[in-house]
Amino acid sequence: MICPENIRPMYEWHTQVATYDVGPDRLLTPSAQLRLQQEAGERHFGEGGLNFEGVASFGMAFVVLQNNAVITRRPSIGEEIVIKTWSRNVKGMRFFRCYRFEDSKGNTLIDSVASFALVDIHAHTLLRPTAFPAQVEHHAEFAHGCPDPAKIRLPEAMTVCGEHGVVLSELDFNGHLNNTRYADIVFDHLPADTASRMTGFSITFSHEAKSGDRLIVSRAQTEDGTWVLSAQNGDQTCFTAEVRE
């Protein structure tokens, strides 16, 4: 049953960093961060029956367009964390959702913002936010330390650094490369110690990829040390990314 009045202004999820959510440094990986964000958002809107299945019953779905994150400290294996999330506002065709990862003492670990579009799952077309079947409150007044995702500008000179073949195990329920997997591809094509130095990352999801597609990954490092990457799927740009040190 659709009951948007049951959706709290801010959802808090108390959880723990699992063994499968960390890398060799025993810290939360960027892809695991995105998975936790996705789950937190589902739990939040699920309180009002507007999780994936609820929205899909109206022939609609939310598709993530961009994500930007500011990282103070990545939580470690087994650490108790609190993930807070809220719907912030709507700008044009995009919905914005905020996420905050805190430690057990309430210190901010990660602030993140994602933008979404509402799509018709049958016609594969964009829908205006007014087409959403329920009135949901937005809370721009909650404090947050991460800027909105911005356009990632690619340098003219980029070097091909590898390729990634999309396989069946990476697909989501839509049959596309799951957006959380993009972070794995990004960091697989950077120096091994990049994650330990990063202060944030951004990803723009430009075009879907399917099983069997081969993504050609290119990268460049700017004067301030920021890594910029892109992945081409034939003539289509699948994603662009920025990792800040």
Side-chain angles (χ1 to χ4, degrees):
M1 182 179 296
I2 304 300
C3 301
E5 64 273 13
N6 293 338
I7 298 175
R8 285 172 280 180
M10 179 186 291
Y11 182 81
E12 294 190 15
W13 178 22
H14 293 250
T15 187
Q16 186 179 47
V17 178
T19 55
Y20 48 78
D21 285 332
V22 303
D25 57 5
R26 302 171 68 87
L27 300 177
L28 184 73
T29 63
S31 60
Q33 175 195 320
L34 295 181
R35 286 194 296 272
L36 290 171
Q37 290 181 188
Q38 182 173 300
E39 177 64 17
E42 277 287 291
R43 288 170 176 251
H44 185 203
F45 270 20
E47 292 184 323
L50 291 171
N51 56 5
F52 170 77
E53 291 180 344
V55 176
S57 69
F58 292 93
M60 304 174 183
F62 281 111
V63 176
V64 63
L65 302 175
Q66 294 174 293
N67 193 92
N68 187 35
V70 172
I71 298 172
T72 302
R73 178 176 71 83
R74 290 185 295 145
S76 60
I77 186 171
E79 184 173 355
E80 300 285 343
I81 59 173
V82 179
I83 303 172
K84 298 179 178 180
T85 185
W86 61 95
S87 179
R88 192 182 67 191
N89 58 4
V90 176
K91 294 181 182 179
M93 300 289 284
R94 297 188 295 170
F95 296 78
F96 288 82
R97 173 173 285 275
C98 293
Y99 308 87
R100 170 165 287 177
F101 290 63
E102 296 180 352
D103 65 16
S104 58
K105 296 181 179 180
N107 298 308
T108 299
L109 303 172
I110 300 168
D111 271 343
S112 186
V113 182
S115 66
F116 298 84
L118 188 65
V119 299
D120 184 313
I121 60 178
H122 303 297
H124 302 284
T125 55
L126 287 175
L127 297 170
R128 293 187 179 277
T130 52
F132 195 60
Q135 183 67 39
V136 176
E137 292 184 9
H138 306 292
H139 294 275
E141 74 275 12
F142 294 155
H144 200 254
C146 181
D148 284 351
K151 182 177 181 179
I152 297 173
R153 301 189 181 280
L154 300 178
E156 291 185 7
M158 297 185 71
T159 303
V160 173
C161 57
E163 62 179 65
H164 178 86
V166 180
V167 296
L168 187 63
S169 63
E170 297 176 310
L171 305 186
D172 59 18
F173 42 73
N174 293 314
H176 300 149
L177 178 65
N178 186 272
N179 70 86
T180 67
R181 297 283 190 166
Y182 288 22
D184 287 328
I185 298 172
V186 168
F187 285 88
D188 282 346
H189 290 87
L190 291 176
D193 60 347
T194 302
S196 65
R197 300 191 305 272
M198 73 171 173
T199 60
F201 68 92
S202 301
I203 301 178
T204 296
F205 309 96
S206 304
H207 196 271
E208 70 271 7
K210 300 178 181 179
S211 181
D213 288 346
R214 302 203 70 80
L215 309 183
I216 305 302
V217 183
S218 300
R219 75 183 190 192
Q221 191 171 28
T222 63
E223 292 182 357
D224 65 0
T226 298
W227 287 102
V228 182
L229 300 92
S230 69
Q232 294 294 126
N233 181 16
D235 294 333
Q236 297 278 359
T237 298
C238 182
F239 71 85
T240 54
E242 178 183 86
V243 179
R244 303 178 293 274
E245 296 186 6

